[in-house]
Amino acid sequence: MSFFDRNRREMIAKGYDPARLPPGQYRVEDFPVLHVGPVPEYAPDQWDLAITGLVKNPMRITWDDLIALPSIEMTVDIHCVTKWSQFDMKWKGVKVSDVFASAGLESNATHVMAHAEYGYTANLPLADATTDQAIIAYAYDDAPIEPIHGGPVRLVVPHLYFWKSPKWLRALELMDHDAPGFWERNGYHMYGDPFKEQRHWGD
Ligand SMILES: Nc1nc2c(c(=O)[nH]1)N[C@H]1C(S)=C(S)[C@@H](COP(=O)(O)O)O[C@H]1N2
Ligand SMILES: [Mo]
């Protein structure tokens, strides 16, 4: 039996619904660390988030602004294109849709480019960036997000592969067209639905 089959069998034995694990994935219980480049270390008061592009009121949100906004908590399954999935990850943050509502989107905005520290980017259709579970996250497991996991603030968009959830988030840019982000320029799928195994170009 392959590693993947054994992992799936163990998951079922533990009582998890196997439908939660997308094809080609295996379940992990630790929280892997995965990124390109160094980990920026900066205090929350040095962080801010720009809302730019096709918005009526371009904004710069500070840490204090962010944590004063209404927040949600969610427990979600996360799937990385390198094939690990972790179930029941508990995040807290502010819905992207709430922030966009205050920024006032131009009617021709259709896509979002999320920009992170050191030029990492990820593209998302507007509808996917504004689901009830797409959040600007500042806590994981009831604690501040660790720097290696994207703290102080990362995007979390759980229904797409995790590369679409940039760590060290610094800007959300509204656009009237789609454009590839960092991994999308390097062979990853433009959309990235784990349940359709949209890992690479042409999947
Ligand atoms: N800024 C930034 N965000 C990033 C990445 C990165 O390289 N840089 N890697 C992505 C990928 S491929 C994954 S799987 C997750 C990993 O998050 P973790 O290290 O918290 O598990 O971060 C995503 N966000
Ligand atoms: Mo990933």
Side-chain angles (χ1 to χ4, degrees):
M1 197 181 347
S2 77
F3 166 78
F4 287 88
D5 291 336
R6 212 164 40 243
N7 181 276
R8 203 168 272 268
R9 186 176 282 202
E10 276 166 20
M11 175 186 72
I12 293 166
K14 287 185 175 168
Y16 292 103
D17 177 359
R20 290 170 68 179
L21 192 66
Q25 297 290 111
Y26 63 94
R27 195 181 66 92
V28 298
E29 292 184 348
D30 57 330
F31 188 172
V33 172
L34 216 70
H35 54 260
V36 282
V39 175
E41 296 260 356
Y42 47 103
D45 64 8
Q46 296 168 298
W47 173 89
D48 64 10
L49 176 69
I51 310 298
T52 64
L54 298 171
V55 291
K56 298 193 174 77
N57 321 303
M59 298 167 71
R60 200 163 274 282
I61 299 170
T62 66
W63 170 262
D64 289 338
D65 297 337
L66 186 72
I67 60 172
L69 291 173
S71 62
I72 64 157
E73 286 190 340
M74 62 181 190
T75 300
V76 292
D77 299 347
I78 294 291
H79 312 291
C80 170
V81 71
T82 62
K83 303 198 169 180
W84 58 266
S85 293
Q86 191 176 358
F87 291 173
D88 299 321
M89 299 188 83
K90 186 176 176 193
W91 299 96
K92 179 181 182 183
V94 175
K95 280 159 69 172
V96 174
S97 59
D98 288 349
V99 169
F100 284 179
S102 2
L105 301 193
E106 299 288 1
S107 57
N108 54 341
T110 57
H111 289 80
V112 178
M113 188 67 81
H115 297 261
E117 222 50 63
Y118 304 129
Y120 183 91
T121 51
N123 56 307
L124 298 151
L126 179 59
D128 294 87
T130 53
T131 68
D132 281 346
Q133 294 194 320
I135 65 169
I136 301 162
Y138 56 83
Y140 170 69
D141 229 0
D142 298 317
I145 300 174
E146 286 179 61
I148 52 162
H149 287 301
V153 175
R154 78 180 295 166
L155 195 65
V156 176
V157 180
H159 71 289
L160 300 176
Y161 281 125
F162 210 26
W163 89 76
K164 297 285 191 180
S165 294
K167 315 205 267 195
W168 317 299
L169 183 68
R170 295 304 302 272
L172 295 171
E173 178 191 1
L174 280 297
M175 309 188 300
D176 63 4
H177 60 278
D178 200 3
F182 175 80
W183 282 117
E184 296 81 4
R185 282 195 299 273
N186 288 287
Y188 283 10
H189 198 274
M190 285 293 271
Y191 184 64
D193 181 342
F195 286 92
K196 295 185 177 155
E197 274 208 271
Q198 294 173 336
R199 299 178 193 275
H200 304 108
W201 297 346
D203 284 349

